[in-house]
Amino acid sequence: MINLTINGIDVSVKKGTTVLDAARSIGIKIPTLCYMALDCFDVRTPGGSCRLCVVEIEGRPNLAPSCCIAAEEGMVVKTNSQRAINGRRTVLDLILSDHPKDCLNCAKNMNCELQQLAADFGLTKVLYGGEQSTYELDLANESIVRDLNKCIMCRRCETACNTVQTVGVLSGINRGFESVVGPANERPLNDTKCTFCGQCVTACPTGALTEMNKTYSVWQAINDPNKHVVVQTAPAVRVAIGEEFGMDAGTVATGKMVAGLKRMGFDAVFDTDFAADVTIMEETTELIERVTKGENLPILTSCCPGWVKFFEHQFPNLCNIPSTAKSPQQMFGALAKSYYAEKVDKQPKEIVSVSVMPCLAKKYEAARDEFAPEGVRDVDVVISTRELATMFREAGIQFDNLPDEQFDNPMGESTGAAVIFGATGGVLEAALRTAAEWITKEELGKVDFEAVRGMEGIREATVKVGDLDLKAAIASGLGNARKLLEKIEAGEAEYHAIEIMACPGGCINGGGQPYIKGDETILEKRRQALYNADADLPVRQSHKSPAVIDLYENYLGEPGSHKAHKLLHTSYTPRQNA
Ligand code: SF4
Ligand code: SF4
Ligand code: SF4
């Protein structure tokens, strides 16, 4: 341990702790816009870019950035001296001198860390005028808007993209006043190997990176009398949407969310979880077939479009091993425009299929060429959890006062196996709950597979299924996925099944979720909430869902049937790694 004093208070911290974290340990939050630490994922930005966290350290003539200086034995630190506070105020004034002042119209309004700091410092006027940077917006993709006029060069997005995700799209380019963070040669994101995971959006403290807003398209559809508009909601949305309305993190707000969607005017409010159960039917069938034949192993899950785009670019030789099952979003869309359309006697083109996702990559996924058979998109519009909250507010829906209401049928019924899709390890556990019974032909006494749960970036488990020792691995975060894929490529992996989610922690931490602003306890609460929701459901295995049984008996036939393949499976495209 290292002993120091901060503002005259004795502090004891582990060797290697920064002065900024040492101050936090005694309840002093030194402002910063670049430093970000998420210990649950072992993520730490280098810091030192914004210089907002300066403090006085005895014996040093200059103010020092507390985020990149380690505490030393006997150090005497002042975080609240007039000199330190004036230093931070000057830095803030300088950042604001080259920042647009359009907070009212900014997508990050009320969520911007720069705006919050200006309020915290009581800034009431712009001190420094001068030249302003001007950049064109990057609007050339479905998922992410880049507005470099609002970039403060904190470089958190670089850490998210390069260190955590190992995608390597973003870096500092140009010099001096022209410096920006972006893809090489200032290319639009769409022309790169970006996976649209949105982890850079989650990390960005300002409105420089935000989601592509599609709320207007949803209102347009709802108000078109010639359209039948259905909505699906992903599992991770229900455990995060309440945060936008002041509810505690980890509140399961499924019933209120459904009630709010009905008040918005959708013709039917459905659950992506229904399709998650169908995903398990298809994916488990594939898993058992491959394990039985001992071919094409390990099978990789395919429900995360960020991960799919990652392996298409970075591991094109492995495009044959992921499951061919579409993601639950796309399965839902395909069934909404076929199975459901027939039930309500509508043509596919009369139905508008909207999805509410924790994810920005799902916007990109819905627009992929292969998901528009005969010119009709399976999913027409994708909005994020944050966009749904905006729409509720726009419509004057008092979310916290809503009653709990039920999803509509037939695509609103689901199981506990489906709800845990929102957390890392959940898809694999859901598959195991079905595979174990299908392989052994015996009922499972306990359906929980706790060995595959957790937040660590890579986890391994061997699960006894009859005579088979099923070897599984789970990775969340693309940097961790890369480590597993490199083992597979080198022939060093002996797994039967691997679950991969692009976002660290899975969809609970997706790029479209309410911003956590560095508070990692929120993620753990969301994760726990999903497992609580699972435990509360009467049916917890996908193959026992009455709605799924009915779908197969009366429409699809067997899992893996010709019709199921046509509607529910896909293929992958090797892409340039540039
Ligand atoms: S969306 Fe993901 S892959 Fe794309 S730039 Fe951001 S962090 Fe990198
Ligand atoms: S885009 Fe956002 S996260 Fe990236 S450097 Fe600029 S302000 Fe920071
Ligand atoms: S982990 Fe979930 S939220 Fe993140 S990119 Fe994949 S599907 Fe989207």
Side-chain angles (χ1 to χ4, degrees):
M1 300 298 281
I2 299 287
N3 302 298
L4 68 161
T5 65
I6 299 179
N7 301 346
I9 298 166
D10 292 333
V11 189
S12 220
V13 290
K14 274 192 195 152
K15 195 172 176 198
T17 305
T18 62
V19 171
L20 184 140
D21 282 331
R24 280 189 184 172
S25 74
I26 57 164
I28 297 172
K29 192 174 173 202
I30 302 173
T32 173
L33 286 170
C34 64
Y35 183 67
M36 189 182 67
L38 289 175
D39 290 333
C40 63
F41 306 129
D42 212 9
V43 172
R44 205 158 280 261
T45 58
S49 308
C50 76
R51 319 305 278 192
L52 263 168
C53 66
V54 289
V55 295
E56 279 196 81
I57 298 178
E58 204 171 88
R60 298 194 186 200
N62 297 323
L63 290 173
S66 60
C67 72
C68 48
I69 290 182
E72 288 172 15
E73 189 64 33
M75 202 178 234
V76 177
V77 178
K78 280 189 193 155
T79 70
N80 58 358
S81 69
Q82 193 63 58
R83 192 169 160 237
I85 289 173
N86 283 349
R88 288 180 211 146
R89 185 184 291 272
T90 303
V91 170
L92 199 50
D93 279 325
L94 287 168
I95 292 174
L96 288 170
S97 73
D98 183 22
H99 196 86
K101 315 294 183 294
D102 63 351
C103 297
L104 283 181
N105 309 326
C106 179
K108 274 274 178 74
N109 187 19
M110 309 296 281
N111 267 312
C112 171
E113 293 176 46
L114 178 59
Q115 183 188 44
Q116 184 61 52
L117 275 184
D120 290 349
F121 275 73
L123 299 191
T124 52
K125 60 179 179 226
V126 179
L127 212 53
Y128 305 116
E131 197 179 342
Q132 298 268 311
S133 314
T134 45
Y135 300 97
E136 295 277 318
L137 299 193
D138 178 0
L139 301 165
N141 67 83
E142 293 289 326
S143 300
I144 294 172
V145 177
R146 289 170 60 242
D147 180 357
L148 293 181
N149 300 302
K150 293 178 180 167
C151 175
I152 57 166
M153 289 295 290
C154 71
R155 309 185 90 151
R156 281 190 198 170
C157 56
E158 263 186 88
T159 302
C161 189
N162 303 348
T163 311
V164 180
Q165 301 295 62
T166 66
V167 176
V169 165
L170 300 174
S171 60
I173 50 176
N174 303 337
R175 302 250 163 154
F177 193 67
E178 306 297 322
S179 306
V180 286
V181 173
N185 303 322
E186 301 187 34
R187 277 176 302 164
L189 268 190
N190 215 27
D191 295 352
T192 71
K193 58 192 169 186
C194 171
T195 65
F196 301 115
C197 68
Q199 286 300 304
C200 53
V201 175
T202 298
C204 181
T206 71
L209 296 171
T210 54
E211 67 267 37
M212 182 65 79
N213 187 308
K214 296 281 179 174
T215 56
Y216 183 72
S217 306
V218 179
W219 285 128
Q220 240 182 348
I222 288 175
N223 285 286
D224 185 339
N226 299 316
K227 297 289 181 195
H228 183 87
V229 190
V230 303
V231 62
Q232 56 165 316
T233 60
V237 176
R238 69 205 65 197
V239 294
I241 182 87
E243 292 161 29
E244 289 275 337
F245 299 94
M247 293 178 173
D248 289 340
T251 303
V252 183
T254 318
K256 289 185 190 306
M257 178 184 70
V258 171
L261 289 164
K262 289 188 174 175
R263 279 150 186 72
M264 276 172 66
F266 286 101
D267 293 299
V269 178
F270 290 141
D271 199 351
T272 311
D273 291 15
F274 165 82
D277 281 325
V278 180
T279 304
I280 291 303
M281 301 291 283
E282 295 298 319
E283 216 166 70
T284 308
T285 304
E286 241 182 313
L287 166 70
I288 294 174
E289 195 181 305
R290 292 205 209 171
V291 169
T292 311
K293 290 184 183 158
E295 274 176 6
N296 211 12
L297 291 169
I299 186 169
L300 306 174
T301 57
S302 54
C303 26
C304 167
W307 146 238
V308 165
K309 191 156 186 281
F310 180 77
F311 73 69
E312 286 180 331
H313 280 288
Q314 312 237 4
F315 294 87
N317 299 338
L318 299 183
C319 274
N320 63 326
I321 60 168
S323 160
T324 58
K326 288 182 185 173
S327 74
Q329 167 177 272
Q330 295 306 131
M331 282 198 185
F332 181 96
L335 290 170
K337 298 215 174 171
S338 54
Y339 171 64
Y340 175 71
E342 283 179 28
K343 277 192 184 289
V344 291
D345 198 19
K346 300 274 178 203
Q347 291 299 312
K349 61 178 185 315
E350 291 175 278
I351 293 181
V352 177
S353 152
V354 174
S355 71
V356 185
M357 294 284 137
C359 178
L360 301 186
K362 294 278 181 192
K363 291 173 181 268
Y364 148 80
E365 179 187 48
R368 282 176 65 122
D369 292 344
E370 64 270 29
F371 295 138
E374 287 144 38
V376 179
R377 292 235 149 264
D378 290 341
V379 175
D380 297 287
V381 192
V382 183
I383 57 169
S384 65
T385 311
R386 292 191 295 266
E387 288 168 87
L388 177 61
T390 303
M391 295 187 80
F392 282 159
R393 283 190 282 266
E394 244 184 313
I397 288 167
Q398 304 290 294
F399 190 81
D400 44 345
N401 288 331
L402 290 172
D404 286 343
E405 292 182 6
Q406 302 285 326
F407 286 110
D408 294 314
N409 273 326
M411 298 174 74
E413 193 176 291
S414 61
T415 72
V419 83
I420 58 174
F421 265 56
T424 166
V427 178
L428 192 68
E429 179 168 350
L432 288 171
R433 289 181 188 181
T434 290
E437 287 197 359
W438 281 359
I439 291 173
T440 62
K441 310 218 178 338
E442 285 171 18
E443 291 263 319
L444 272 178
K446 182 171 176 269
V447 300
D448 303 84
F449 287 86
E450 269 131 21
V452 300
R453 297 183 187 175
M455 285 289 249
E456 307 82 62
I458 298 182
R459 306 190 295 287
E460 292 176 329
T462 302
V463 181
K464 194 97 186 136
V465 179
D467 296 335
L468 174 72
D469 283 330
L470 195 134
K471 290 191 181 142
I474 300 115
S476 77
L478 292 171
N480 294 319
R482 178 184 295 282
K483 288 180 196 155
L484 281 182
L485 289 186
E486 282 172 350
K487 273 172 96 174
I488 296 171
E489 264 196 331
E492 292 165 8
E494 288 193 352
Y495 307 112
H496 295 102
I498 299 181
E499 179 206 286
I500 296 182
M501 291 289 156
C503 297
C507 304
I508 48 170
N509 187 29
Q513 292 281 63
Y515 295 108
I516 64 164
K517 297 178 187 161
D519 182 354
E520 58 190 300
T521 64
I522 292 174
L523 298 180
E524 182 52 33
K525 288 176 187 162
R526 289 178 189 166
R527 190 180 80 86
Q528 204 47 56
L530 286 176
Y531 287 104
N532 293 344
D534 161 36
D536 282 348
L537 283 165
V539 183
R540 299 179 62 203
Q541 291 164 286
S542 300
H543 60 289
K544 294 186 177 163
S545 158
V548 167
I549 293 168
D550 187 61
L551 171 76
Y552 279 96
E553 278 182 3
N554 296 310
Y555 192 71
L556 292 175
E558 297 291 306
S561 67
H562 178 70
K563 193 166 186 179
H565 258 275
K566 186 162 174 267
L567 285 170
L568 309 178
H569 288 254
T570 185
S571 58
Y572 307 108
T573 311
R575 295 173 198 272
Q576 268 196 331
N577 190 12

